[in-house]
Amino acid sequence: MRIVAKGKHRASVLGLVKFIAAVAIVYFYTLMGAPRHFRALYLLVELFFFITGYYTFKHFQDKAKDVYADSVETKSLKALNYTGKKVLSLAPYILIAIALHYAILLIPAVNSGWHAVFDIVKGLPFDLLLLNTQAGVMNWPMWFVSAMIIVMPVFCLLCQSKNRHCLFIFSSLACLVYYFNYFRWPFGQGTFYVAPLIRAFMGMLMGVNI
């Protein structure tokens, strides 16, 4: 019982750390990447991905005996179901963040005419569908959630591999190459299109190594 209690305590602490990281990331990007304090807060995006990848991999590995015998079709269905549950768990926070974000933008825009209002509202459907990283319409603080959800099904499928040592070799090499060359190529930076997807996937892949 003591071991279980310690495990739950560690999980709650990591959950709190993940929540604080998410709030700090939103704070950083709300100020357009130039806060007066803590200018390296963008690094917490990686921490958020690391923890998410760790728990996702652990979830599927705890059920290893069941998933190893599954067909690719069954594993794909489980990956989609897990992603769907993840979206539902985040939905209240996402909707509140979107509502506050657009309220802050629309209040001053109303006095500027319908053109200004339309320029803001046109990004709403993409934000609600968590596709804002791919639309290129508006860059806002929740881009990292969009990127994570888009690559989540592929990552979940990878987490169900029975070849754990092979997966570790692949993920270690991929993360080593990616993070030591992060500032040398455009694929590791930016919040639009392919860059955030690669960043989210590699961050969660590091969670596998952890």
Side-chain angles (χ1 to χ4, degrees), residues 31-51:
L31 297 181
M32 304 304 292
R36 295 179 180 178
H37 311 288
F38 310 115
R39 295 192 176 186
L41 285 177
Y42 69 93
L43 294 175
L44 291 179
V45 172
E46 268 60 47
L47 178 62
F48 181 87
F49 290 148
F50 291 172
I51 297 176

Side-chain angles (χ1 to χ4, degrees), residues 1 4 13 27 48 79 85 115 134 204:
M1 293 298 294
V4 175
V13 170
Y27 168 75
F48 181 87
K85 291 178 181 179
H115 288 286
Q134 304 306 299
M204 289 193 291

Side-chain angles (χ1 to χ4, degrees), residues 16-197:
L16 178 61
V17 171
K18 185 178 177 181
F19 173 77
I20 294 174
V23 172
I25 295 165
V26 171
Y27 168 75
F28 177 82
Y29 284 103
T30 298
L31 297 181
M32 304 304 292
R36 295 179 180 178
H37 311 288
F38 310 115
R39 295 192 176 186
L41 285 177
Y42 69 93
L43 294 175
L44 291 179
V45 172
E46 268 60 47
L47 178 62
F48 181 87
F49 290 148
F50 291 172
I51 297 176
T52 301
Y54 169 83
Y55 275 116
T56 302
F57 182 70
K58 187 176 184 301
H59 167 81
F60 286 105
Q61 289 302 307
D62 286 345
K63 301 179 180 180
K65 293 182 179 179
D66 298 327
V67 301
Y68 286 169
D70 289 340
S71 64
V72 175
E73 182 69 17
T74 302
K75 291 180 179 179
S76 300
L77 182 60
K78 289 183 177 180
L80 291 172
N81 287 336
Y82 184 89
T83 304
K85 291 178 181 179
K86 180 66 68 175
V87 173
L88 290 177
S89 67
L90 293 173
Y93 306 101
I94 293 172
L95 292 176
I96 292 173
I98 289 176
L100 291 175
H101 177 72
Y102 279 92
I104 293 171
L105 292 176
L106 286 173
I107 290 175
V110 170
N111 296 327
S112 302
W114 68 270
H115 288 286
V117 173
F118 177 76
D119 285 338
I120 295 174
V121 175
K122 68 181 181 182
L124 181 59
F126 300 102
D127 285 333
L128 291 173
L129 295 173
L130 294 178
L131 293 174
N132 47 304
T133 56
Q134 304 306 299
V137 177
M138 183 178 295
N139 180 9
W140 79 295
M142 294 296 287
W143 69 266
F144 62 99
V145 177
S146 169
M148 180 187 72
I149 294 301
I150 291 173
V151 301
M152 182 69 78
V154 178
F155 180 75
C156 289
L157 191 60
L158 188 67
C159 287
Q160 297 177 71
S161 172
K162 65 179 180 180
N163 302 311
R164 295 184 62 182
H165 293 92
C166 181
L167 178 60
F168 176 71
I169 292 173
F170 166 76
S171 61
S172 298
L173 177 61
C175 290
L176 182 68
V177 173
Y178 177 78
Y179 285 111
F180 275 93
N181 292 276
Y182 180 83
F183 293 104
R184 298 185 183 182
W185 51 32
F187 297 114
Q189 304 175 55
T191 55
F192 283 145
Y193 311 122
V194 70
L197 302 186

